[in-house]
Amino acid sequence: LRWCACVRCVSVDKKDGKVVGITCEVGDPGSDPKGKLHWVSDADSTPCELRDYGHLFRAGKVEDDWESQINPESLVARKTALVDASVGSRPDDFAPVQFERLGFYCCDPDSKDGALVFNLTVSLKTGDVAKKVAGVSRKAEQEAQAAKKEALKKIPPEELFKTAEAKRLYSAWDGDGVPTLDSKGEPLSKSLIKKCKKDQAKQKKLYEAGKK
């Protein structure tokens, strides 16, 4: 345990499936374990809410269907967190504080005595909680893009803008399947129609390659 000693878990006590106690024994205080647990004792802690802000979008590059790419967990609120009592009963609004392995936070104006709220401002590379919880990573993004490409191979070019997802953006199409009106019935701009035609041409190549 950080700032304590090396401990070894001997047994875990559970009640109704929840951990209610852990029995440990203290090891050699001079040893250097591979990992350390950061902890706050019950007696020296203050309850608070942590608001971890992550990426607004799940993809690195946002396409036209941006609404479907919004990250539903761009805000992760942990309402039952505990912090060291040294933060005080009510820090000044936006007062910065660092929580180990998590990042830098600031006190939110919503904070009250006994009900503190901290907003993540800068995450640490080793503890980007919001990013990990939201599942936003380079590998995950690449896997998602690969899966999307495989799915696109099965869509005929004339149906590209008629999927359930696309129908939330467009309401009318020409004979080739190129959208002409947006979801509100307003005409699309010439530049957007031109872009749609380019995307459809790319889709034609992808679709034909998928049939080989």
Side-chain angles (χ1 to χ4, degrees):
L1 299 177
R2 187 71 179 273
W3 315 119
C4 182
C6 295
V7 297
R8 183 173 69 88
C9 179
V10 177
S11 63
V12 178
D13 300 323
K14 293 184 178 182
K15 183 178 181 180
D16 299 328
K18 295 183 178 180
V19 176
V20 295
I22 298 176
T23 301
C24 300
E25 62 181 22
V26 179
D28 181 6
S31 62
D32 186 18
K34 292 183 178 180
K36 295 182 177 68
L37 294 178
H38 294 72
W39 64 291
V40 178
S41 69
D42 222 19
D44 301 318
S45 64
T46 297
C48 73
E49 176 183 343
L50 297 182
R51 296 174 179 174
D52 295 334
Y53 293 90
H55 294 272
L56 179 59
F57 296 99
R58 291 178 294 179
K61 181 180 178 181
V62 181
E63 304 293 344
D64 290 338
D65 56 340
W66 61 270
E67 291 178 314
S68 65
Q69 299 175 53
I70 291 179
N71 178 14
E73 294 183 307
S74 59
L75 168 60
V76 179
R78 293 179 286 167
K79 299 180 180 294
T80 57
L82 294 174
V83 295
D84 193 278
S86 62
V87 299
S89 59
R90 175 63 171 87
D92 295 334
D93 288 350
F94 310 116
V97 61
Q98 180 182 359
F99 297 140
E100 283 196 275
R101 295 298 179 93
L102 296 180
F104 291 90
Y105 289 73
C106 69
C107 185
D108 190 279
D110 290 343
S111 295
K112 300 177 182 178
D113 289 342
L116 300 178
V117 179
F118 293 97
N119 297 326
L120 179 66
T121 55
V122 180
S123 62
L124 301 181
K125 291 182 179 180
T126 55
D128 194 347
V129 178
K131 190 173 182 179
K132 288 181 180 178
V133 174
V136 180
S137 67
R138 178 61 178 167
K139 183 178 179 181
E141 184 180 325
Q142 289 175 336
E143 292 176 349
Q145 291 294 336
K148 182 178 180 180
K149 186 174 182 179
E150 286 300 315
L152 281 173
K153 288 181 179 180
K154 302 177 183 179
I155 301 177
E158 61 273 13
E159 297 295 323
L160 178 62
F161 299 106
K162 294 183 179 180
T163 62
E165 192 175 290
K167 285 183 177 180
R168 294 188 301 175
L169 303 173
Y170 311 114
S171 59
W173 301 261
D174 63 15
D176 295 322
V178 176
T180 55
L181 301 179
D182 63 17
S183 59
K184 297 180 181 179
E186 297 293 330
L188 299 183
S189 64
K190 291 182 179 180
S191 60
L192 183 54
I193 292 177
K194 184 178 180 179
K195 182 181 183 303
C196 288
K197 289 182 178 180
K198 285 185 177 180
D199 290 342
Q200 194 180 60
K202 292 179 181 178
Q203 177 61 23
K204 182 178 180 180
K205 294 180 180 179
L206 186 65
Y207 179 69
E208 291 175 349
K211 294 194 298 182
K212 294 181 180 180

